[in-house]
Amino acid sequence: MCLALPARVVELLPNQRAVVDLGGVRKEVSIDLVDDAQVDDYVIIHVGYAIGRIDPEEAARTLALFAELSEAQNATQPL
């Protein structure tokens, strides 16, 4: 199973690299596959690579679903 997450580009770096933000976590990734990515774009990240751009509204919906899933998992785990 693969998992790709939407993240916001916060900084463009040399050599087709960028820093993305995902819920306060910042990570350097490759943008070789999305060479037109700009700061404030949302991109889909999979194993350190941006593999495509995503609409900001779709990114927000997806991130909200992940947050909801996390809350549900935390509520069902014993202390």
Side-chain angles (χ1 to χ4, degrees):
M1 180 168 107
C2 295
L3 180 63
L5 302 170
R8 186 174 59 87
V9 176
V10 294
E11 182 180 354
L12 297 175
L13 303 172
N15 301 317
Q16 293 294 93
R17 309 286 295 169
V19 176
V20 296
D21 181 283
L22 176 60
V25 176
R26 291 188 176 207
K27 178 169 178 60
E28 185 177 325
V29 300
S30 170
I31 55 170
D32 282 330
L33 302 174
V34 190
D35 60 355
D36 62 340
Q38 299 296 315
V39 171
D40 289 329
D41 281 351
Y42 279 86
V43 292
I44 298 293
I45 304 296
H46 178 63
V47 293
Y49 287 85
I51 59 174
R53 289 191 317 152
I54 186 172
D55 179 82
E57 289 81 22
E58 182 64 25
R61 284 191 297 271
T62 302
L63 292 171
L65 287 172
F66 279 120
E68 186 178 324
L69 176 61
S70 178
E71 288 177 22
Q73 287 178 327
N74 290 336
T76 61
Q77 293 181 2
L79 298 178

